[in-house]
Amino acid sequence: MTTPIQPPSRSQGLRQRLLRAVGNSWLLRRCGPLLLPRLDRRFHQWTRGRWVPSRLLVPVLILHTTRRDGTVCHTPLLTSQTAADTFIVMATNFGRPQHPAWSWHLLREPRATVHWRRRSWPVQARLLSPEEQREAQDEILAAMPCFDDYARHIRREIRVFVLAPRPLAHTRAGRSHLN
């Protein structure tokens, strides 16, 4: 089970306290999973990848994974950018007890694509171990201040993934392509 990362401190900024309050609200946990991903996907489509409403409060990327039947799944995810083109995403599923579908997709096929700030590129997902999650606690809490509250509430291991750019592979003809 994911253990709470750290107790809240009094020195948290107003934005962090606001995000924590919103993330722990009954309204977000109840209506968020039904409304926000659909709304974000629609606006992402309508604005041709320029904007999603959730970005008003938190950094959001669009993750493109593949379902078992081969169809592509487009999922808006709260994220923390750790380096150029590298992100951390948390599978909290709005504090619901089951793992989100996109995390199962990444476990089955870790190759995916992200869309961030009008750019798309292929990534390789890697599930963080509990020790690595503790090491990344500052980035996780900066992006999602209610992460530890969700961990206590749902009583399941919260999957945290690092999405890193896939390296280029070289072919015999001298051209490069993505793995």
Side-chain angles (χ1 to χ4, degrees), residues 27-95:
L27 184 64
L28 182 76
R29 287 189 183 189
R30 180 79 172 161
C31 300
L34 304 173
L35 179 65
L36 289 178
R38 290 179 182 157
L39 192 63
D40 283 344
R41 277 192 294 270
R42 284 282 183 239
F43 272 89
H44 187 262
Q45 181 183 19
W46 290 339
T47 64
R48 296 186 182 118
R50 291 187 300 269
W51 189 71
V52 294
S54 295
R55 280 196 197 132
L56 293 172
L57 286 177
V58 294
V60 175
L61 62 76
I62 305 295
L63 178 68
H64 307 279
T65 56
T66 306
R67 295 182 181 103
R68 286 181 191 247
D69 65 4
T71 59
V72 177
C73 180
H74 310 282
T75 310
L77 297 175
L78 184 145
T79 188
S80 174
Q81 188 172 16
T82 59
D85 301 338
T86 302
F87 300 91
I88 292 179
V89 290
M90 295 74 61
T92 59
N93 204 14
F94 290 91

Side-chain angles (χ1 to χ4, degrees), residues 74-176:
H74 310 282
T75 310
L77 297 175
L78 184 145
T79 188
S80 174
Q81 188 172 16
T82 59
D85 301 338
T86 302
F87 300 91
I88 292 179
V89 290
M90 295 74 61
T92 59
N93 204 14
F94 290 91
R96 295 189 292 182
Q98 66 276 16
H99 292 288
W102 64 264
S103 72
W104 290 106
H105 299 166
L106 287 180
L107 290 175
R108 183 182 46 77
E109 175 54 66
R111 293 182 298 179
T113 303
V114 297
H115 186 93
W116 172 259
R117 296 187 180 171
R118 301 172 114 178
R119 283 184 47 227
S120 293
W121 63 92
V123 293
Q124 183 77 24
R126 184 176 64 81
L127 180 64
L128 294 182
S129 69
E131 296 81 28
E132 290 172 315
Q133 281 188 31
R134 281 191 288 281
E135 290 172 10
Q137 71 180 347
D138 292 337
E139 290 90 3
I140 293 170
L141 287 176
M144 179 179 253
C146 58
F147 180 86
D148 55 349
D149 300 325
Y150 280 9
R152 276 192 303 272
H153 174 74
I154 60 180
R155 300 181 190 274
R156 69 164 163 85
E157 184 75 26
I158 295 178
R159 297 173 179 156
V160 178
F161 293 89
V162 170
L163 306 174
R166 279 195 304 226
L168 291 175
H170 296 283
T171 63
R172 290 185 187 189
R175 295 177 295 186
S176 57

Side-chain angles (χ1 to χ4, degrees), residues 8-25 57 141-142 144-146 149:
S9 69
R10 291 185 181 188
S11 63
Q12 286 180 326
L14 178 61
R15 180 180 181 279
Q16 295 299 94
R17 289 193 308 264
L18 174 67
L19 288 176
R20 187 169 186 178
V22 168
N24 283 318
S25 72
L57 286 177
L141 287 176
M144 179 179 253
C146 58
D149 300 325

